[in-house]
Amino acid sequence: MAKILLIILDGLGDRPAPGLEGKTPLEAAYTPNMDALAKVGINGLYSVFAPGVPVGSPIALHTMFNYPGEDYPDRGVLIAVSRGFETNYEDVVLAARFASVEPHNGQLKLRARFIKEAEEACCALASAIAYYEKDGLRFRYQYWGRGDGILYISGDASPDISDSDPLGLDLPVIKIQPMENAREKDKASRTAEALNSYLSWAYREMSRHPVAEQRAKDELYPINFLITKWSGRRTKLEPFKDKFGLMAVSMPAEEVVKGLAAEMGMAVLDTPNELEPEVDIKERLKRAEELFSQGYEFIHLHTKEPDATSHWCDPCKTKEVIEALDRGFGYYWEHLGRDEDLVTVLTSDHTTPSAWEGFSPGDFNDQHSGEPVPLTIKGRHVRRDDVSSSGERPCSRGGLGHVRGAELMEILLSLADRTNLLGMRPTPRIRPYRPKQVEPFVPTS
């Protein structure tokens, strides 16, 4: 049975760019090593959730690995877990970061969403707003660093509430509201009201804190609000090994992916994230080679590029990053590409447009979009197609067609000779793979 190497180049999908003669950054980039994979593999497009629906990395992977949508814990929980914060299965957990706001027409307008270079000030403010109680709900803020932290709500709270973070400077700070589809509407309303009260109290406390006076003297932006998002509650996810019969390890490039992999029961290998793209992917491939020799059967290799660069709205720079990743991918052909017992997948988790209406090169844009991403699979059993280069449009002509959601894992199990014939029941629980162990029949006397 073959091993599986799943390479996720975060945000690799993109849109045609006028500055690249109507090509996407991937199509315009010089990528001989990725092209070589396309030539010997089978290609297609992949919508990890559904066509047209933009997603982030954690929910993309949660869907890709066929975990039920109702079990998705949301990013706040995953970030807390990845940071090693003590997180139970009862509290509501939110991502919460310091921001700078100013009153404007009776609202609060964001001046800055990220406060990253004021550790002393943030630590002092975090202590000042660490604990609060309202209507039987208890709030606890745990600071992490670089202006960022986690907010816990205990006391029978609901996670079904909206965000206060507008994800941009074009909207004011948003009032917390119960979600229309909240499972317990009264509880969600009480949680929303209490959180609005906490945020108002925290705003007042930070505005009159000595830190505010000092920053005003230094002519610096005030640090005076805590914007929240991604409310959720921790859930118990089925271990990946039980779900797919594979001993798995993840090499994530960001903490939220690390948290998800850990919750799925994968081994998690911390890798440095500050490396240049070429060196980064080369080092990850080198570690993958070592991990396969240690007995792992499934490796999830995840880079943060080109997503990180694409968010700054410069398609030419995204193209350069993709070319750097391709140079690093040369290590694959030198050390892993000749292994016939290896199924290799090169794809992405979502599309990150490097050009967006109203944004200029160098502007930061948080958004993703819903176009499908390129998908290439190499392995002993693939039906090679006629695609000869990587890219969104070349891959669209490949033999895989349009793959969606958990279909990808089914395809990989099949190509790795690990499937279980549909309808066969060797165990009480239906599994997509042939089990290595079963309960043997023992004749009764």
Side-chain angles (χ1 to χ4, degrees):
M1 292 186 290
K3 309 175 292 291
I4 299 171
L5 174 61
L6 172 63
I7 302 171
I8 303 286
L9 302 185
D10 200 303
L12 180 65
D14 211 320
R15 292 170 168 175
L20 298 175
E21 299 179 345
K23 296 180 179 180
T24 70
L26 176 59
E27 293 167 347
Y30 177 64
T31 54
N33 291 305
M34 294 185 200
D35 292 349
L37 193 73
K39 289 176 184 176
V40 299
I42 187 170
N43 300 269
L45 294 177
Y46 181 47
S47 291
V48 70
F49 195 83
V53 179
V55 295
S57 297
I59 198 167
L61 294 172
H62 189 273
T63 304
M64 181 185 298
F65 297 144
N66 200 27
Y67 284 85
E70 61 270 20
D71 289 345
Y72 179 62
D74 224 310
R75 283 176 173 246
V77 171
L78 300 176
I79 293 171
V81 168
S82 71
R83 292 173 178 174
F85 289 175
E86 186 175 341
T87 304
N88 60 36
Y89 293 90
E90 289 79 40
D91 290 349
V92 169
V93 185
L94 303 93
R97 64 164 46 251
F98 287 117
S100 181
V101 302
E102 61 184 358
H104 180 73
N105 294 333
Q107 305 171 346
L108 291 180
K109 181 180 180 179
L110 275 168
R111 297 179 66 182
R113 286 184 62 238
F114 299 98
I115 309 293
K116 296 183 177 180
E117 308 297 338
E119 285 305 295
E120 185 176 346
C122 288
C123 286
L125 294 171
S127 296
I129 62 169
Y131 299 102
Y132 181 79
E133 188 168 345
K134 176 75 172 181
D135 294 337
L137 299 181
R138 298 179 299 280
F139 293 79
R140 175 171 61 89
Y141 184 59
Q142 190 162 352
Y143 185 62
W144 173 248
R146 291 176 64 79
D148 199 15
I150 296 293
L151 181 64
Y152 292 89
I153 311 176
S154 57
D156 200 25
S158 169
D160 298 331
I161 55 176
S162 61
D163 301 336
S164 63
D165 185 352
L167 288 180
L169 302 181
D170 57 327
L171 295 173
V173 174
I174 304 170
K175 179 182 177 180
I176 306 295
Q177 300 176 76
M179 300 301 294
E180 284 189 358
N181 62 349
R183 287 157 285 193
E184 298 176 88
K185 293 189 181 298
D186 289 345
K187 188 183 294 186
S189 294
R190 182 169 68 99
T191 304
E193 289 173 8
L195 180 51
N196 284 321
S197 178
Y198 167 74
L199 295 179
S200 297
W201 169 80
Y203 171 57
R204 293 192 299 271
E205 290 296 306
M206 287 188 279
S207 297
R208 62 192 177 204
H209 194 279
V211 164
E213 182 180 350
Q214 185 59 51
R215 289 183 69 83
K217 288 180 181 178
D218 296 339
E219 298 183 348
L220 297 171
Y221 276 177
I223 304 173
N224 56 357
F225 203 83
L226 198 66
I227 50 176
T228 59
K229 57 189 172 185
W230 301 324
S231 171
R233 181 180 284 123
R234 193 176 185 187
T235 58
K236 294 181 188 280
L237 298 179
E238 181 182 9
F240 189 93
K241 191 174 189 304
D242 293 344
K243 195 171 184 64
F244 295 110
L246 295 162
M247 184 177 171
V249 60
S250 174
M251 285 187 280
E254 59 176 327
E255 60 182 359
V256 68
V257 177
K258 174 183 175 182
L260 181 66
E263 291 294 89
M264 290 176 175
M266 291 187 185
V268 177
L269 184 68
D270 281 321
T271 50
N273 294 329
E274 66 277 3
L275 301 176
E276 292 298 316
E278 178 179 350
V279 179
D280 177 74
I281 191 170
K282 183 176 180 179
E283 288 299 312
R284 292 178 192 276
L285 289 166
K286 189 180 298 184
R287 296 302 298 273
E289 186 179 17
E290 296 168 359
L291 290 164
F292 278 132
S293 70
Q294 295 170 18
Y296 286 100
E297 302 164 293
F298 181 95
I299 294 178
H300 162 233
L301 186 162
H302 202 121
T303 69
K304 190 52 192 159
E305 294 287 2
D307 176 79
T309 296
S310 292
H311 278 301
W312 292 94
C313 298
D314 190 335
C316 292
K317 286 188 176 179
T318 298
K319 169 182 169 290
E320 292 171 3
V321 165
I322 292 171
E323 290 175 340
L325 288 168
D326 186 81
R327 290 193 296 272
F329 191 66
Y331 185 92
Y332 170 85
W333 290 113
E334 297 168 7
H335 298 271
L336 291 159
R338 298 185 186 90
D339 186 352
E340 292 190 354
D341 289 324
L342 178 64
V343 175
T344 302
V345 191
L346 180 64
T347 188
S348 187
D349 46 356
H350 56 75
T351 290
T352 304
S354 57
W356 194 277
E357 186 176 355
F359 288 81
S360 302
D363 290 345
F364 183 79
N365 176 32
D366 258 332
Q367 300 298 320
H368 297 164
S369 61
E371 295 88 353
V373 298
L375 169 65
T376 299
I377 305 176
K378 172 187 175 294
R380 185 199 304 270
H381 301 310
V382 302
R383 298 170 177 169
R384 293 171 57 175
D385 53 33
D386 296 328
V387 175
S388 60
S389 62
S390 58
E392 293 84 348
R393 279 170 284 201
C395 283
S396 71
R397 299 189 290 271
L400 283 171
H402 193 165
V403 179
R404 303 184 187 187
E407 292 173 354
L408 179 59
M409 284 301 299
E410 301 282 359
I411 292 169
L412 300 186
L413 289 174
S414 177
L415 292 174
D417 290 331
R418 292 176 179 269
T419 47
N420 184 35
L421 186 65
L422 184 64
M424 301 304 292
R425 294 177 283 187
T427 59
R429 186 166 187 176
I430 300 297
R431 301 287 190 187
Y433 59 90
R434 183 169 178 80
K436 296 177 182 177
Q437 294 181 330
V438 294
E439 184 73 27
F441 173 80
V442 178
T444 57
S445 56

